[in-house]
Amino acid sequence: MRKLSRSLLALLLAGATTSALADVTVGVILSATGPAASLGIPEKNTVALMPTSIGGQKVNYIVLDDATDPTAASKNARKLVSEDKVDVIIGATTTPTSTAVLEVAAETKTPQIAMAPFAPAADKAAWVFQTPQDFGIMAGAIVGHMTAN
């Protein structure tokens, strides 16, 4: 959580410096329902604990549920970018939904903080910051443990 908070703070402040004295709007896409609700509900509860101001600027959070559906995640990302004019997107809960959000984030050049690991295409990787370790690190630890035991 500490890593996420510092990274979120850095992204928000970076975006905030370009629009002096404007509110920072953060779009949050998570799986509060559907198969990944056991992850999405605590994520949703965490949003209530996030700071409401950073560096003297008000931070607004818009939380949308994707029901663990990549199509819904993509639609939510498009809504957040086009209608709500978010500065950054946090989400989504699962690998398929995070990948769907990245398609929109890269297309619209909106930074994304992903809560699930995935391997973004090189041309889109600049728009995503992943909070969990990548698959290579996880697989290496598992293989290391298996060979040792």
Side-chain angles (χ1 to χ4, degrees), residues 40-123:
I41 292 169
E43 292 169 350
K44 183 177 180 181
N45 293 339
T46 300
V47 175
L49 303 173
M50 296 175 79
T52 56
S53 69
I54 297 176
Q57 292 192 261
K58 184 178 178 190
V59 180
N60 301 305
Y61 299 96
I62 301 169
V63 180
L64 299 177
D65 178 20
D66 62 23
T68 320
D69 176 30
T71 302
S74 180
K75 287 179 184 177
N76 286 346
R78 289 201 184 283
K79 178 192 178 305
L80 289 170
V81 172
S82 63
E83 295 176 25
D84 299 312
K85 309 291 188 217
V86 298
D87 298 299
V88 62
I89 297 172
I90 299 176
T93 300
T94 66
T95 296
T97 54
S98 289
T99 303
V101 170
L102 177 59
E103 294 299 318
V104 176
E107 175 188 318
T108 61
K109 300 185 180 347
T110 304
Q112 174 191 5
I113 301 173
M115 297 181 286
F118 62 100
D123 61 326

Side-chain angles (χ1 to χ4, degrees), residues 116-143:
F118 62 100
D123 61 326
K124 296 177 175 118
W127 294 102
V128 64
F129 174 82
Q130 296 182 56
T131 57
Q133 64 274 21
D134 65 32
F135 291 125
I137 293 172
M138 289 190 288
I142 292 168
V143 170

